[in-house]
Amino acid sequence: MTTNDIQTEGLRSLLTAGQCRLDHLGVMRATGVDAATFLNNMLTQDVLLLQPKHARLAAQCSVKGRMVATGWVIKLAPDDLLWVISADILEATLKRLKMFVMRSKLVLAAASTEFLICGELANNTPESPVVGTVEITDGHVSTSLPAVCGLSRMLHLIPVGAGSQNAQAQELGADSWLIAEVLAGVGRVTAKTVDAYVPQMLNYESTHGVNFKKGCYPGQEVVARSQFRGTLKRRAFVLNVAQPNRPVAAGDEVFLSSDLSTAIGTICNAAQCTDGNWVAIASMQIAAGLENIEINAGRAQALPLPYVLLDDI
């Protein structure tokens, strides 16, 4: 058994199979003949290239190339798309996008009240898809997400009022899903981290959240320059934080033990484990290294990423 196998097995023990409600997520819906074109013009993902009944990671950036929203774009049909993002930024994101609709033929609206959003972890060893596959049954939308530690992950959008299916979503505490989300190494922008990172600072180029061959979108020039001019100075890392003196949360700073006066990074997402430790995604300076890191007076250790980091070009 390799070192990575041992680490993976240890991380697997943090997770429990089952379903849970995901109240920290919200849904936006775009419908109409221009829906896909509009989102393609606004997001880092090639939404036009995305086939119906598939899903991919995508971000919206400011003109400075900083991410203001991130999540999974789900293409139900050529003229019907969902975008699942953090609930605490949904209204602000929707308001910002509506400013650019103008004469485009689409309806852009919040759809969180239409669905019960649930997550499912299942005991198997699936492939980790670049493009999630989507199943639609009687309005119930199920999307596969990249697997974590041998557990498959499914995102379910269950129509409100679907009866018994709503009750089934209570089998699992949300903590296990949040831990899996962190271990997947894909940072999710929340209200505390809006406009904090260019996509590469959260490894979005390595998790297929950025398409460098598509047309223009806000901030594209900055994102492309970070990739092709070798100017990338920060990356996202998954950390285990041992017994911090207070909860670890988005926006918390990361330090080297040898210098607690200068932060080397910030926390994007975090989740507490049953042993009192925390796991977190931190965007940190590459040059600082991964030794002797502290977060809230807790020692942090780097955990393996479940994907390969792509070099900037």
Side-chain angles (χ1 to χ4, degrees):
M1 182 176 290
T2 66
T3 300
N4 280 343
D5 290 334
I6 295 172
Q7 288 178 312
T8 299
E9 185 63 28
L11 296 175
R12 170 67 181 82
S13 67
L14 301 175
L15 305 175
T16 304
Q19 291 192 40
C20 63
R21 288 186 56 165
L22 303 178
D23 294 331
H24 64 287
L25 298 180
V27 187
M28 184 184 305
R29 193 166 202 163
T31 55
V33 294
D34 291 337
T37 299
F38 176 78
L39 289 181
N40 190 68
N41 292 339
M42 298 305 300
L43 304 182
T44 57
Q45 189 56 255
D46 194 324
V47 180
L48 293 176
L49 187 65
L50 186 67
Q51 295 299 307
K53 293 187 177 181
H54 286 86
R56 264 199 171 181
L57 187 65
Q60 183 194 4
C61 295
S62 69
V63 293
K64 295 181 179 181
R66 301 271 171 157
M67 296 192 292
V68 292
T70 62
W72 292 89
V73 172
I74 303 171
K75 199 170 197 177
L76 305 180
D79 59 353
D80 189 1
L81 299 98
L82 305 176
W83 192 25
V84 182
I85 65 175
S86 296
D88 62 353
I89 61 171
L90 180 63
E91 290 302 325
T93 303
L94 183 61
K95 181 179 180 180
R96 185 168 51 248
L97 285 173
K98 282 184 174 181
M99 295 172 58
F100 298 94
V101 170
M102 293 183 282
R103 297 182 180 179
S104 297
K105 297 177 181 179
L106 79 151
V107 174
L108 197 62
S112 299
T113 57
E114 297 179 27
F115 299 102
L116 178 69
I117 308 174
C118 301
E120 180 182 5
L121 300 178
N123 283 304
N124 52 49
T125 53
E127 296 293 326
S128 294
V130 171
V131 182
T133 55
V134 178
E135 295 182 3
I136 307 172
T137 306
D138 297 328
H140 179 155
V141 180
S142 297
T143 302
S144 60
L145 302 182
V148 175
C149 301
L151 287 177
S152 65
R153 292 190 300 152
M154 294 291 294
L155 184 66
H156 298 289
L157 305 180
I158 304 171
V160 170
S164 61
Q165 287 181 316
N166 289 10
Q168 293 175 8
Q170 307 301 322
E171 302 171 7
L172 177 69
D175 287 348
S176 195
W177 178 270
L178 293 174
I179 292 170
E181 187 178 65
V182 169
L183 295 180
V186 179
R188 174 173 47 83
V189 168
T190 63
K192 291 184 178 180
T193 55
V194 167
D195 212 28
Y197 311 109
V198 297
Q200 291 92 332
M201 289 181 183
L202 291 182
N203 303 345
Y204 267 53
E205 86 299 332
S206 297
T207 52
H208 307 280
V210 181
N211 188 309
F212 292 101
K213 297 180 180 180
K214 60 166 286 185
C216 292
Y217 56 87
Q220 183 194 31
E221 182 179 349
V222 177
V223 176
R225 186 165 60 245
S226 297
Q227 188 71 19
F228 297 112
R229 291 190 179 180
T231 59
L232 185 60
K233 296 181 179 180
R234 290 177 180 252
R235 284 284 197 184
F237 300 91
V238 177
L239 304 174
N240 178 66
V241 188
Q243 303 292 332
N245 61 10
R246 60 184 174 85
V248 180
D252 285 353
E253 294 182 321
V254 183
F255 298 90
L256 291 176
S257 301
S258 57
D259 183 4
L260 299 179
S261 63
T262 304
I264 62 167
T266 57
I267 298 298
C268 180
N269 305 113
Q272 188 172 25
C273 307
T274 56
D275 59 3
N277 293 343
W278 290 72
V279 290
I281 297 175
S283 180
M284 303 191 302
Q285 296 172 11
I286 299 171
L290 297 174
E291 300 294 332
N292 301 317
I293 302 170
E294 286 192 19
I295 301 167
N296 299 341
R299 294 297 296 271
Q301 178 185 15
L303 299 174
L305 287 170
Y307 51 81
V308 176
L309 280 177
L310 301 180
D311 293 329
D312 52 333
I313 302 171

